[in-house]
Amino acid sequence: MQAHHFAALVFALMALPAFVAARWLRAGRIPVAGGAQGMTEGRRRALDDRLARLMRMVGLAMLAMAGGMALWGDEQGRVLALTLVMVVVVNGLAIAMLLSVLRARRHPGTGTGP
């Protein structure tokens, strides 16, 4: 097994916790919105669903990185470009998650905000 195939396997394995967290969020096992005063059950459920969807997208981005690493592992320029894209995408999704939680906590009864 070449080094870039091992790195691709590591990235694929690192995506698994994102999928597990998404499943737990969807099932309501992670109480993200538990501290929001006045948030209805429907609003909490909507927030959990949105966060679960974003976590699945993080997992897919990591799987895409693993696939790209396996295919282009010998070409450093492509791997660097793929890494930069993955960093931007995953950080953007993390910011989207944070904003979703903050917006839901700021406006618990009215939806996603003004």
Side-chain angles (χ1 to χ4, degrees):
M1 179 182 278
Q2 294 179 354
H4 66 273
H5 290 133
F6 181 72
L9 178 63
V10 169
F11 268 102
L13 290 175
M14 287 173 48
L16 291 177
F19 290 116
V20 170
R23 186 171 181 90
W24 286 352
L25 278 165
R26 184 94 170 124
R29 292 177 59 189
I30 301 176
V32 173
Q37 298 293 334
M39 183 177 280
T40 65
E41 181 64 25
R43 294 267 120 314
R44 188 192 63 76
R45 192 79 235 145
L47 176 61
D48 287 346
D49 289 345
R50 178 182 302 225
L51 293 176
R53 185 173 55 250
L54 291 169
M55 283 303 294
R56 282 192 302 272
M57 292 170 72
V58 167
L60 289 174
M62 294 184 74
L63 286 178
M65 177 67 184
M69 183 76 73
L71 290 174
W72 302 320
D74 293 336
E75 302 176 34
Q76 288 184 352
R78 284 187 175 185
V79 171
L80 178 61
L82 184 64
T83 302
L84 291 175
V85 168
M86 190 205 62
V87 166
V88 169
V89 168
V90 169
N91 284 317
L93 290 168
I95 290 169
M97 284 185 243
L98 178 65
L99 290 176
S100 293
V101 170
L102 292 176
R103 195 173 297 141
R105 287 188 176 183
R106 186 175 306 128
H107 304 285
T110 61
T112 58

